Each structure stands twice: as structure tokens, then as C-alpha cells.
Amino acid sequence: MLLFLCTYSLVAYNQVLKERRVYYLDCSYSMEANGIWNDVRDNLKKAIDNVVDETTELIVIPFADNTSPNPTLKPMKEFATSAGKKKLKSQIDALSMNKNTMTYHYIPIEDFYNNRVDNNRVTYMFLMTDGQDEDKQQKALKQLLPQWGAKFGDKNVYGFYVMLHKMATNPKIDDVANKQDHLWKVETADVNINLIRLQSSAIFNAKNDKYFDLPIFGDASGKSFEAAFPSNCPYKVKKSDRISNSLRIWVESIPGQKLPVSTNYTLHIEMKGGGKFDFLVTENVSVKCEYKPERSLKISVR
């Protein structure tokens, strides 16, 4: 009789989530009056060209309103294939505007909340506007934006309030955005923002492992990352290294503390060396920390 003892680690690999990018493009006449209409469209097309993953959904939604309180938005949607990008860029080139239009920010935000989040994809919203909100009720500022963190702060949903012109600067918007998780305010006419994302969860078994790896998505060249567990955690990060397209987190237990069999802790990540338009959207990672022997598989041959 032959007996084989095979020991293996149980490692959970998260499914790599595909992406959806939703661009709300302000088509009010002020975009032409401010002299940025063509530049903004060119920059949007460059951002589309720079999406590498062909499975990414690209949605461009023009918005501007003149008469209807509930306008019908007309999304332009393609996958990030060569053919899809070409078609989408042609549609962007063909966009026109009405001189009588006004800018109501609640329209795209409400549309995003109700229609654009895909729970099976990492979803990004880019609200691109060059002017002040002309809604006298300020629905976007007072009702919708303050809900962002509660809705999406613990989900794979991220928003960028892109102020395309100095006329769009609004301290009240800044204040609300700064209080919301997963929402950033950006002052630029270039929406070619570098989005850097980490795998949002991991497993670490202190009984057998010294580190775990977090895959990195996006261009992280020239950047480093610092990681830390909360103060009430019996583990601490010894160091973090870039290993190819992953972040390797070296972990050690704190002497004198009892290690639970299995508990989840939040690992906080900070990026160093990023430029003005480099965004680490995954600032917190859920780590399942275990302390138990690896399972063994016994195979007997008779």
C-alpha cells in the first residue's frame, strides 16, 4: 500500500472584475463660449483610446437642458475594442449644442444613481462640467452628492467631479466631495485620469504565510505604496514591495497578542509618488486573517 500525504494552501482568488466607465459630458453652450468644447472632446477621445482592456464598457452621456424638467438622456455605449472606440469617437465628434441650454447637475447624478451602476463591474463616473449648477433648488449639492459615500463608500463605485473650467469652481461642491468616500473633485479639462486599483480583498494565514499579494490594475510605474492595519489588530505590516503587477504585503504578528482563528481586518493603503492626476481608488482592503493549519489531502493507493 502506498500512502501519499499532500499538503496544500487554500487560497481564494477573487474574480478579476471588469470595468465600466461612464462619462457625462456637459453640452451646454457655455462649453463653446468658454473656448474649451473642442479641447474637451479631444481629451475625452484620448482617455477612451488609453483604455487597454477591451472588455471595459465605455458609456458617454451628453447632458444639457433647456425646456424639459426630466430630459431623456441618450447614452452612447461601446466596448473598448478598436471598432468600439472608433464608433464612440465618431459619435463624440458629431455632438452639437443648443444655445439656449442650461446646466443642471442633478440630471447626470440622478441618472447615475438610478441606471448606471453595475454591481458586477467596477464602475467609474466622470461628471464633466464647465459651469455652475443652474438649478435654483440645488438638488445635486443638497440632496444627491451628500448620499454618495453612504451609497458607494464600501463598493467598487468611484466618482470624479471634473471641473473643466475655472467657472465651475465651487467651494460648496468641494466641501461635500471632500466628505464622501470614493468621490473626488478634479480641476482639469483633461479627463485622461490615471486610475490605480488594487484587489479589494485578500486572505492571509499566519500559521503558514509570511505575505500576501494584491494585484494592481492601472499604471503604477514610479509609485510606491504604504500599508497599515488598524491599531486594534494583532498583526502589523512589516513592509510592502512592488512585485511585477502586484503589491506584496509582508505581515507579522504582534508579540504577546492572541491570534484569532479567523477575523477580517481593514488594511489601509497610501500611494506615494503619484502625480496630480494619479488616483489610488482602492484605499482600503478587506483582509481575512487566519491562524490555522493548512488542510491536508491524503491519497492512498492499494
Side-chain angles (χ1 to χ4, degrees):
M1 179 182 73
L2 298 177
L3 178 66
F4 294 90
L5 178 63
C6 178
T7 303
Y8 63 95
S9 297
L10 294 178
V11 182
Y13 292 97
N14 281 2
Q15 180 183 5
V16 177
L17 292 175
K18 296 178 174 62
E19 293 186 356
R20 167 181 284 185
R21 302 192 182 196
V22 185
Y23 300 91
Y24 289 96
L25 177 60
D26 188 343
C27 293
S28 59
Y29 189 71
S30 60
M31 293 281 286
E32 179 72 40
N34 286 330
I36 62 172
W37 175 239
N38 290 330
D39 287 343
V40 168
R41 286 190 296 171
D42 286 343
N43 288 331
L44 176 55
K45 289 185 291 183
K46 289 177 184 176
I48 288 170
D49 274 333
N50 285 337
V51 177
V52 176
D53 186 354
E54 292 190 347
T55 67
T56 299
E57 288 182 345
L58 303 172
I59 305 175
V60 176
I61 306 178
F63 76 96
D65 187 47
N66 47 7
T67 57
S68 172
N70 297 298
T72 300
L73 298 178
K74 297 180 180 179
M76 304 180 294
K77 179 179 177 180
E78 298 290 339
F79 285 100
T81 62
S82 295
K85 291 177 180 179
K86 182 178 180 180
K87 183 177 179 180
L88 200 55
K89 289 187 292 182
S90 295
Q91 291 174 312
I92 292 171
D93 284 334
L95 289 173
S96 60
M97 56 182 63
N98 186 316
K99 288 187 177 182
N100 298 318
T101 52
M102 302 178 74
T103 304
Y104 295 144
H105 292 171
Y106 78 86
I107 293 172
I109 298 173
E110 202 168 60
D111 176 75
F112 184 80
Y113 282 2
N114 295 335
N115 304 310
R116 307 305 166 192
V117 176
D118 185 339
N119 292 327
N120 297 314
R121 287 178 177 266
V122 179
T123 306
Y124 297 100
M125 181 197 79
F126 302 87
L127 174 56
M128 306 161 58
T129 181
D130 75 322
Q132 297 290 338
D133 190 352
E134 295 178 279
D135 173 25
K136 295 180 180 179
Q137 302 299 319
Q138 295 188 304
K139 185 176 180 180
L141 177 64
K142 294 181 178 180
Q143 298 179 31
L144 297 177
L145 282 179
Q147 300 178 32
W148 186 280
K151 283 180 174 290
F152 306 131
D154 60 350
K155 296 181 180 179
N156 286 312
V157 180
Y158 308 94
F160 293 86
Y161 200 102
V162 186
M163 298 181 176
L164 301 169
H165 189 269
K166 61 183 180 181
M167 291 296 294
T169 302
N170 187 331
K172 293 181 180 179
I173 293 290
D174 293 359
D175 183 61
V176 172
N178 290 337
K179 294 176 181 177
Q180 307 303 312
D181 290 335
H182 290 193
L183 181 63
W184 294 267
K185 184 247 346 174
V186 187
E187 295 182 10
T188 178
D190 188 348
V191 291
N192 190 22
I193 297 169
N194 181 26
L195 304 171
I196 300 170
R197 177 170 59 88
L198 303 175
Q199 182 172 287
S200 59
S201 63
I203 294 179
F204 172 74
N205 188 348
K207 191 76 173 179
N208 308 289
D209 303 331
K210 296 184 181 297
Y211 63 83
F212 61 89
D213 291 336
L214 295 171
I216 301 173
F217 307 93
D219 182 8
S221 58
K223 301 164 186 65
S224 61
F225 300 85
E226 294 182 358
F229 283 112
S231 58
N232 64 340
C233 179
Y235 299 97
K236 66 179 180 180
V237 175
K238 187 177 180 180
K239 62 177 180 176
S240 56
D241 297 326
R242 282 281 309 284
I243 307 294
S244 186
N245 292 323
S246 292
L247 179 63
R248 178 160 292 177
I249 308 294
W250 296 82
V251 180
E252 61 185 11
S253 59
I254 298 175
Q257 293 205 28
K258 183 179 180 180
L259 301 180
V261 174
S262 181
T263 304
N264 282 61
Y265 296 101
T266 298
L267 181 74
H268 183 69
I269 310 287
E270 289 188 8
M271 183 175 69
K272 305 294 183 180
K276 184 177 180 181
F277 301 118
D278 294 314
F279 286 89
L280 174 65
V281 297
T282 313
E283 297 177 315
N284 294 297
V285 174
S286 177
V287 182
K288 185 177 183 180
C289 293
E290 299 182 333
Y291 186 71
K292 52 187 178 182
E294 294 176 328
R295 295 184 183 179
S296 297
L297 176 65
K298 293 183 179 181
I299 302 175
S300 61
V301 180
R302 298 180 183 275

